[in-house]
Amino acid sequence: MKLHIITIGKPKLTYAKAGLEEYSGRLSKIHDLRITHIPDRKNDPESILKAAGDAHKIALVIDGPQCTSEELAKILKDQELLANEVCFLIGGPDGLPKEVINTSETKMGLSRLTFPHDLAMLVLTETLYRSSTINAGHPYHH
């Protein structure tokens, strides 16, 4: 399955860089993974949507519905059965532009808590890995 994570900006904190590298490496063994970091100055709808292309877009928004790891695993499995690339969109400090949110097929919240941008990237990547191991029947989830 093709997974694409688009973020506004790159992680700056050491722990986030290390965690993102760790979990993206693990995810790459299961999926065809791409991570695109759009520069903060290009935080416009056109740049973000162009990077996402025709993928099934999941916008991460603070007030979006939250799901369990098992529910995310089902979303990934359903999209895989449809042969869709899935693109997760993480906004910058001000979130995603409204046009991007409105054109995304799915809106999702990571937590009711507000996370720093760097931590959101790390949490998403670990969560995707966890959900992917559920689908693969791997014991990591336990």
Side-chain angles (χ1 to χ4, degrees):
M1 166 176 217
K2 292 183 179 183
L3 290 179
H4 189 186
I5 299 171
I6 297 177
T7 69
I8 305 303
K10 291 183 179 184
K12 295 169 184 64
L13 300 172
T14 303
Y15 77 87
K17 289 178 190 176
L20 188 62
E21 184 177 311
E22 173 69 26
Y23 286 105
S24 63
R26 291 182 187 195
L27 261 175
S28 293
K29 293 176 183 172
I30 301 170
H31 298 292
D32 179 2
L33 176 68
R34 287 188 299 148
I35 299 177
T36 301
H37 301 290
I38 295 177
D40 292 329
R41 67 184 182 283
K42 293 251 186 186
N43 186 15
D44 60 88
E46 296 80 23
S47 296
I48 298 167
L49 293 171
K50 181 178 178 185
D54 293 330
H56 178 91
K57 292 174 277 310
I58 298 178
L60 296 183
V61 294
I62 291 173
D63 59 349
Q66 297 172 38
C67 59
T68 65
S69 297
E70 291 85 357
E71 290 166 340
L72 180 57
K74 183 176 180 341
I75 290 169
L76 294 177
K77 172 113 18 221
D78 290 348
Q79 291 303 314
E80 185 174 29
L81 291 173
L82 295 170
N84 285 336
E85 177 180 28
V86 178
C87 182
F88 290 85
L89 305 164
I90 302 175
D94 296 324
L96 289 165
K98 290 284 185 216
E99 297 91 331
V100 172
I101 295 169
N102 292 340
T103 59
S104 294
E105 290 82 6
T106 306
K107 284 84 176 162
M108 185 176 101
L110 285 179
S111 169
R112 291 176 51 200
L113 301 170
T114 302
F115 293 127
H117 184 64
D118 285 13
L119 188 54
M121 287 184 236
L122 175 54
V123 169
L124 173 66
T125 309
E126 191 283 336
T127 300
L128 288 171
Y129 177 70
R130 181 175 299 275
S131 294
S132 297
T133 62
I134 289 169
N135 285 340
H138 191 277
Y140 175 81
H141 178 59
H142 300 289

